[in-house]
Amino acid sequence: MWSPLAGDLLSGKYSPTNQKPADSRRTEFDFPIVDKERTWKILDVIAPIAKAHQCSPARVSLAWLLAKPVVTSVIIGAKRHDQLQDNLAAVDLTLTQDELRRLDEVSALPPEYPGWMLQFQSADRLEAVDRLKHFPEASK
């Protein structure tokens, strides 16, 4: 996963009132472009989790991503040895199912068209329908 810390925003050193800390990568060049309001909400959930595990928000962020079955690796961009050590320690941090759920919920992207149509069209159904089972020719 490229830029797992959202260009350092999920490191914990940024906040709505401190968006360009001195000597940070975003002081001069605010990249990559991200939805900062969404990021602040994610950090509000990450902060107490990091405190409970006595670690950095960056470590929690990386451990959260590494816990996802579809993520096989993350590309980190530490510029200091202590950042590298902290990032690498994410592989040893095990988040609880509740912590993972809370992080997934707060970070969920709003559904976009046409994806939201499936849920909308199925709203009046009593149960999920396996379309391939009923219409096998659709898989060809």
Side-chain angles (χ1 to χ4, degrees), residues 49-107:
I49 294 172
K51 185 175 182 179
H53 288 277
Q54 299 178 337
C55 68
S56 71
R59 191 181 303 179
V60 171
S61 299
L62 294 172
W64 167 35
L65 293 174
L66 290 169
K68 296 186 173 299
V70 297
V71 175
T72 56
S73 66
V74 295
I75 299 171
I76 57 176
K79 68 178 181 180
R80 295 189 326 258
H81 187 261
D82 62 311
Q83 291 173 330
L84 177 62
Q85 293 299 101
D86 186 56
N87 286 187
L88 294 175
V91 299
D92 296 322
L93 176 58
T94 302
L95 300 172
T96 67
Q97 288 302 311
D98 181 59
E99 291 166 338
L100 294 170
R101 179 193 53 76
R102 290 180 6 230
L103 289 165
D104 287 343
E105 284 175 1
V106 75
S107 67

Side-chain angles (χ1 to χ4, degrees), residues 10-140:
L10 295 177
S11 68
K13 66 181 168 188
Y14 298 87
S15 70
T17 58
N18 189 21
Q19 294 191 30
K20 295 188 178 199
D23 194 33
S24 72
R25 69 186 304 173
R26 289 183 176 268
T27 301
E28 298 296 324
F29 189 61
D30 199 8
F31 183 82
I33 298 169
V34 297
D35 178 349
K36 288 190 180 165
E37 292 310 311
R38 182 170 161 258
T39 302
W40 307 142
K41 292 175 186 173
I42 294 169
L43 282 169
D44 286 344
V45 173
I46 288 176
I49 294 172
K51 185 175 182 179
H53 288 277
Q54 299 178 337
C55 68
S56 71
R59 191 181 303 179
V60 171
S61 299
L62 294 172
W64 167 35
L65 293 174
L66 290 169
K68 296 186 173 299
V70 297
V71 175
T72 56
S73 66
V74 295
I75 299 171
I76 57 176
K79 68 178 181 180
R80 295 189 326 258
H81 187 261
D82 62 311
Q83 291 173 330
L84 177 62
Q85 293 299 101
D86 186 56
N87 286 187
L88 294 175
V91 299
D92 296 322
L93 176 58
T94 302
L95 300 172
T96 67
Q97 288 302 311
D98 181 59
E99 291 166 338
L100 294 170
R101 179 193 53 76
R102 290 180 6 230
L103 289 165
D104 287 343
E105 284 175 1
V106 75
S107 67
L109 292 170
E112 293 183 0
Y113 181 83
W116 61 264
M117 283 297 293
L118 296 174
Q119 183 179 5
F120 177 75
Q121 290 174 326
S122 301
D124 62 345
R125 294 184 187 262
L126 297 176
E127 60 186 61
V129 174
D130 182 353
R131 289 191 171 101
L132 294 180
K133 179 180 172 186
H134 295 288
F135 305 101
E137 64 278 1
S139 65
K140 295 178 185 176

